[in-house]
């Protein structure tokens, strides 16, 4: 090896050594393997422990499932609701009103501790289908599209998984005005992003199925 070659190799080695020292001094770890640390851990459990739930034998009512907001998503919570027996009132309306009443309640201490919240604010009253409404329509005392998006998402998804749902799983909701009801759907996307508009099938045609 010539003296010129040895000098060139020494210069290259020195340059590499200086580069390593500079990187180390800047706190940069030299690696060619990408590190995927995964999503940041959530501090909100979004789950009520069984020990925090009052035993069914100590409550009066029937078991129901409602949707609350937790960590910016819809999550289901098991509760016990009172469904009054009222004459001349459709059973679907009674069930839906009981679910709506549950959604209006502030989360219990265990639910609150787990990160749950509700955007449904009362008073909200439900009535059945009017003359000309499609069968299975529920009318709110407020126009559904005037409610906050998360509140409407809570109502739709809670109703969709109960006897309040119409045929096909859609929720037929209308308001106090003369606007026709709409068929709202509880999709997986709306459970993940309840602050977005709840998907609908549009305005429904009038029907003579309602009394």
């Amino acid at each position: 090896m010539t003296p010129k070659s040895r000098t060139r190799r020494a210069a290259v080695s020195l340059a590499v050594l200086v580069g390593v020292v500079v990187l180390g001094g800047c706190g940069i770890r030299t690696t060619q393997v990408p590190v995927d640390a995964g999503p940041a851990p959530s501090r909100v459990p979004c789950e009520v422990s069984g020990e925090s739930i009052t035993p069914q034998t100590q409550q009066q009512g029937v078991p129901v499932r409602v949707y609350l907001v937790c960590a910016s998503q819809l999550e289901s919570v098991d509760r016990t609701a009172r469904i009054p027996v009222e004459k001349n009132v459709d059973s679907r309306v009674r069930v839906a009103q009981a679910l709506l009443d549950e959604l209006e309640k502030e989360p219990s201490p265990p639910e609150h501790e787990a990160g749950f919240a509700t955007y449904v604010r009362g008073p909200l009253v439900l009535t059945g289908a009017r003359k000309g409404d499609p069968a299975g329509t529920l009318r709110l005392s407020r126009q559904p599209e005037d409610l906050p998006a998360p509140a409407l998402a809570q109502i739709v998804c809670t109703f969709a998984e109960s006897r309040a749902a119409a045929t096909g799983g859609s929720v037929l909701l209308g308001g106090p005005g003369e606007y026709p009801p709409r068929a709202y759907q509880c999709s997986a996307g709306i459970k993940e992003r309840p602050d977005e508009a709840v998907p609908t099938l549009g305005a429904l045609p009038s029907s003579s199925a309602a009394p």
Side-chain angles (χ1 to χ4, degrees):
M1 181 180 297
T2 64
K4 185 176 182 180
S5 299
R6 287 197 295 269
T7 302
R8 182 179 300 171
R9 175 173 293 184
V12 172
S13 300
L14 179 60
V16 172
L17 179 61
V18 171
V20 172
V21 172
V22 171
L23 291 175
C26 294
I28 301 176
R29 184 176 59 184
T30 58
T31 176
Q32 295 181 354
V33 180
V35 178
D36 183 7
S42 174
R43 298 181 179 179
V44 182
C46 294
E47 183 177 351
V48 181
S49 64
E51 297 178 356
S52 300
I53 301 176
T54 305
Q56 183 67 31
T57 55
Q58 298 181 15
Q59 302 185 52
Q60 295 180 351
V62 297
V64 296
R65 177 170 293 179
V66 298
Y67 276 91
L68 303 179
V69 178
C70 187
S72 300
Q73 296 184 349
L74 290 188
E75 299 287 349
S76 62
V77 172
D78 292 325
R79 286 185 178 176
T80 298
R82 287 188 174 185
I83 302 179
V85 178
E86 300 178 18
K87 295 181 180 180
N88 302 322
V89 178
D90 183 2
S91 62
R92 287 182 64 256
V93 176
R94 287 191 284 108
V95 170
Q97 185 65 61
L99 293 172
L100 190 59
D101 293 342
E102 288 296 319
L103 290 173
E104 292 178 8
K105 293 179 180 178
E106 287 297 322
S108 65
E111 291 170 348
H112 181 74
E113 185 176 348
F116 288 98
T118 183
Y119 286 78
V120 181
R121 296 290 181 263
L124 289 173
V125 180
L126 278 169
T127 56
R130 297 175 181 171
K131 184 177 181 179
D133 285 344
T137 296
L138 296 169
R139 289 269 180 178
L140 280 168
S141 54
R142 289 182 61 188
Q143 200 64 28
E145 52 266 32
D146 290 342
L147 297 173
L152 182 57
Q154 286 182 249
I155 294 171
V156 170
C157 286
T158 298
F159 286 2
E161 298 183 7
S162 73
R163 291 173 53 195
T167 303
S170 296
V171 179
L172 307 184
L173 285 180
E178 297 301 324
Y179 296 104
R182 294 178 179 271
Y184 293 89
Q185 296 181 311
C186 178
S187 64
I190 206 61
K191 288 182 179 180
E192 295 175 357
R193 298 176 296 277
D195 56 334
E196 297 184 0
V198 180
T200 71
L201 297 178
L204 300 176
S206 298
S207 171
S208 57

